Amino acid sequence: MPAPPIKTRITEMLGIEKPIIQAAMGWIARSQLSSAVSNAGGMGIIETSSGELDAIRDEIRKMKTLTDKPFGVNVAQAFVRDPDIIPFIIDQGIKFVTTSAGDPMKYTATLKEAGLTVFHVVPSLSGALRAIEAGVDGLIVEGGEGGGFKNAKDVASMVLIPQVCEAVDVPVVAAGGITDGRSMAAAFALGAEGVLMGTRILSSAESPVHPNWKDAIVGADATDTVFLNRQGPGPALRALRTERTTRLEKEGSPNIFGEFAGTQAVYFKGDLEAGIALTGQVAGRIKEVKPVAQVFEETLAEYHQVVSRLPR
């Protein structure tokens, strides 16, 4: 039997069945994966952090042929060089946008004036308050254990999520360390009303990445990621531990973006030493590659089990 639904402000605002949003992973969060998320009742997101905006336009169009469920687009401001992507998103009838990697003041007003719902991704309380000042409808609050580009002054989800939830009135989506019903229940106990999954969906059956990366996640321990480039220059990030990233952890890099020159070989050819495989600590809790729909159903079922067993 399907697990009972979970109704929150997130599900109501976004028109989704399950309060689960997919991370906007560069090159990965495209129609193949994102449509699977939307069709499973979550919120699929199309990425822009790859910077391949012509391809992104095609992926947004393709989404409409693969799902009739809601989906959104992430605008990763540090990587979007063509501001015309904003009117394109609006013209395509997209109703939900997440913004990240930049000042929420830049696009929030324009998107909201066009009738879109806007959430901003934040790694800190100060970032959350700035986004509230910009007028966002909600926040994605990202703890330092998550994969991808991070705040060099990282704060764990257990501390950051309640800190932000205590300070704001808008709905919060918890990101970083979320992989199942147990971690969803913990996030909701901290004040969140939805969760964002990155590494769990990255390792799903529908994910387009090479099986070598998925197998590395399944075989990983919680200590098998590294936090790189804390001292800069450029952004810090969390990635899968390999010989290459272990060396970078010790020696640093004068150009962290240059380390991503082999991204296509890492992501789609399975050469994990060719670049950097952005991965969260929660890889240590993922033990099997599963379809997205199964992940979501099991997440909701486990959530209800966990909540029912809590001491009263």
Side-chain angles (χ1 to χ4, degrees):
M1 294 291 291
I6 301 172
K7 301 294 185 182
T8 72
R9 284 188 292 174
I10 298 294
T11 58
E12 293 173 358
M13 290 173 70
L14 305 186
I16 55 179
E17 300 167 16
K18 301 176 177 72
I20 304 173
I21 297 176
Q22 162 231 315
M25 300 166 283
W27 287 277
I28 300 166
R30 297 192 176 183
S31 59
Q32 174 181 321
L33 180 58
S34 301
S35 64
V37 171
S38 289
N39 286 331
M43 175 59 76
I45 302 290
I46 297 293
E47 59 90 13
T48 60
S49 58
S50 65
E52 298 178 348
L53 297 189
D54 288 340
I56 295 307
R57 290 180 174 91
D58 289 340
E59 292 295 316
I60 292 172
R61 296 186 186 100
K62 194 181 296 183
M63 277 291 285
K64 297 179 180 180
T65 70
L66 296 175
T67 184
D68 59 0
K69 302 291 183 64
F71 70 93
V73 176
N74 169 256
V75 178
Q77 295 172 199
F79 305 100
V80 173
R81 303 304 181 193
D82 182 1
D84 287 343
I85 193 66
I86 300 299
F88 177 81
I89 290 170
I90 294 169
D91 291 345
Q92 289 296 306
I94 304 299
K95 299 301 182 185
F96 178 56
V97 164
T98 63
T99 55
S100 61
D103 190 342
M105 295 289 181
K106 188 171 184 179
Y107 293 128
T108 299
T110 300
L111 291 165
K112 285 181 62 65
E113 286 169 5
L116 281 73
T117 299
V118 181
F119 283 27
H120 191 67
V121 182
V122 299
S124 64
L125 176 59
S126 61
L129 297 178
R130 175 70 172 174
I132 295 299
E133 184 182 356
V136 300
D137 300 290
L139 297 169
I140 298 173
V141 179
E142 189 174 64
E145 59 268 65
F149 294 105
K150 317 302 297 179
N151 187 341
K153 298 179 180 179
D154 57 309
V155 181
S157 295
M158 183 66 76
V159 175
L160 181 62
I161 293 165
Q163 183 187 38
V164 172
C165 289
E166 289 168 358
V168 305
D169 293 324
V170 301
V172 165
V173 175
I178 311 297
T179 191
D180 56 10
R182 186 182 299 275
S183 46
M184 175 187 273
F188 278 36
L190 296 176
E193 298 181 52
V195 296
L196 181 141
M197 291 184 178
T199 303
R200 172 68 272 189
I201 295 177
L202 165 70
S203 60
S204 69
E206 292 90 344
S207 170
V209 304
H210 194 278
N212 286 356
W213 192 357
K214 298 182 188 183
D215 291 344
I217 291 171
V218 169
D221 195 355
T223 57
D224 287 335
T225 67
V226 293
F227 198 92
L228 301 178
N229 208 46
R230 191 182 296 275
Q231 304 303 321
L237 55 93
R238 184 175 296 283
L240 186 70
R241 181 179 295 280
T242 63
E243 291 183 10
R244 182 190 187 104
T245 58
T246 297
R247 174 179 56 79
L248 290 172
E249 181 185 31
K250 295 176 180 178
E251 301 175 3
S253 173
N255 178 17
I256 195 65
F257 286 115
E259 303 293 338
F260 286 88
T263 291
Q264 301 300 312
V266 174
Y267 287 18
F268 307 117
K269 295 182 180 179
D271 183 357
L272 299 181
E273 296 293 347
I276 296 177
L278 299 171
T279 307
Q281 285 181 331
V282 79
R285 298 196 57 234
I286 297 169
K287 300 306 177 187
E288 187 180 352
V289 173
K290 299 177 180 180
V292 169
Q294 182 180 350
V295 171
F296 286 7
E297 282 300 320
E298 291 177 356
T299 294
L300 263 65
E302 185 180 60
Y303 169 89
H304 289 291
Q305 292 169 4
V306 169
V307 170
S308 70
R309 293 198 303 265
L310 291 176
R312 297 189 181 280

